[in-house]
Amino acid sequence: MTWSEMQPLLEQACWDTLYMVGWSTLVAVVGGLPLGVLLVLTDRGGVLENVVANKVIGQVVNVARSMPFIILMVALMTFTRWITGTTIGREAAIVPLAIGAIPFFARLVETSVREVDHGLVEAVQAMGGNTWTIVRKVLVPESLPSLIAGTTTTIVALIGYSAMAGTVGAGGLGDIAIRYGYQRFETGLMWITVAVLAVVISLIQFAGDYAARGLHRRGGRSGPTPKLRLLKTKEPATADTGKTA
């Protein structure tokens, strides 16, 4: 197979892979972020402490994470057909990709949020902040660099999953590698596909690391500084009380 024959195949396959991974990542972040935060909030000592709910949610996440992706695709075929009307193609692949990535990303979110200084949470509670305020003003902003790193890890994992989805007709680079590289013995095309995947993953990892480092420099996870800033809002009231006395 000549390069002129390979090029359109690779271009379409790259677009299909990015399409599947992009939409799956969006769904995974939307579903996994609140789930991971909820795992922290309902844990022992959390703002919404509920051990039973935490155990149930944790077990559901663990079971979903333990299922191999190829089995998950088969198990979700009926649900995928109900959502998209088909079980093949890039749109159909988004369903198992997103569902498989949600619990994966939720655990990464849980790890990131647990690293936030609990003193910041206590400071907001002391000022009368509710749960939503704690999540919006402390937990998510302070863990944002780590959340970006977790999102990057999720995207890289989804690229690998999308290659496996190609084995059941989902399209993308995995489909090209299987149909042409393996079934038609086009070894050159298969190795080019592997190289393209390596380049795409490297670029995504570089972009994610650069964004995470940038957020660190701009103040994410900045240690005691946010705590001092939060507590300063209470100083005028203390000073006024002293003057009144």
Side-chain angles (χ1 to χ4, degrees):
M1 182 177 285
T2 64
W3 173 248
S4 60
E5 294 173 319
M6 293 180 187
Q7 186 176 359
L9 291 174
L10 290 171
E11 289 177 352
Q12 184 61 45
C14 285
W15 168 245
D16 289 343
T17 296
L18 293 175
Y19 180 87
M20 290 186 291
V21 171
W23 280 107
S24 302
T25 302
L26 179 62
V27 176
V29 171
V30 171
L33 180 60
L35 189 60
V37 172
L38 189 61
L39 283 168
V40 176
L41 294 177
T42 57
D43 201 4
R44 296 184 185 276
V47 178
L48 302 175
E49 182 176 346
N50 189 321
V51 178
V52 175
N54 183 269
K55 293 296 184 184
V56 171
I57 297 171
Q59 285 301 317
V60 171
V61 170
N62 290 338
V63 170
R65 285 183 61 202
S66 66
M67 186 174 296
F69 180 69
I70 193 72
I71 296 176
L72 182 65
M73 282 194 300
V74 175
L76 290 175
M77 278 188 174
T78 302
F79 181 70
T80 300
R81 185 181 290 110
W82 180 69
I83 294 292
T84 65
T86 181
T87 58
I88 59 175
R90 62 184 190 180
E91 282 78 16
I94 291 172
V95 177
L97 283 171
I99 292 177
I102 287 174
F104 179 82
F105 184 66
R107 283 301 186 189
L108 295 177
V109 171
E110 180 189 12
T111 301
S112 299
V113 173
R114 285 191 190 281
E115 294 176 3
V116 176
D117 185 1
H118 192 67
L120 301 177
V121 176
E122 294 175 346
V124 174
Q125 288 177 315
M127 292 184 291
N130 56 22
T131 303
W132 173 242
T133 302
I134 292 171
V135 172
R136 185 169 57 92
K137 294 292 188 180
V138 177
L139 296 182
V140 172
E142 288 300 308
S143 61
L144 194 56
S146 184
L147 290 176
I148 295 295
T151 303
T152 303
T153 302
T154 303
I155 294 173
V156 172
L158 281 171
I159 292 175
Y161 290 165
S162 70
M164 284 189 282
T167 62
V168 292
L173 291 168
D175 181 52
I176 293 295
I178 292 295
R179 284 197 295 128
Y180 292 90
Y182 177 71
Q183 295 177 350
R184 301 186 186 183
F185 303 102
E186 295 286 349
T187 308
L189 179 57
M190 184 175 67
W191 284 112
I192 292 174
T193 303
V194 172
V196 171
L197 281 170
V199 170
V200 170
I201 289 174
S202 298
L203 290 174
I204 290 173
Q205 189 67 57
F206 174 80
D209 293 344
Y210 181 82
R213 286 195 300 268
L215 287 171
H216 267 296
R217 288 194 295 266
R218 292 176 58 183
R221 287 277 171 80
S222 51
T225 304
K227 186 190 297 187
L228 294 176
R229 184 173 64 249
L230 289 167
L231 293 176
K232 281 181 181 179
T233 59
K234 298 188 72 177
E235 291 178 1
T238 304
D240 292 341
T241 303
K243 291 179 181 179
T244 304

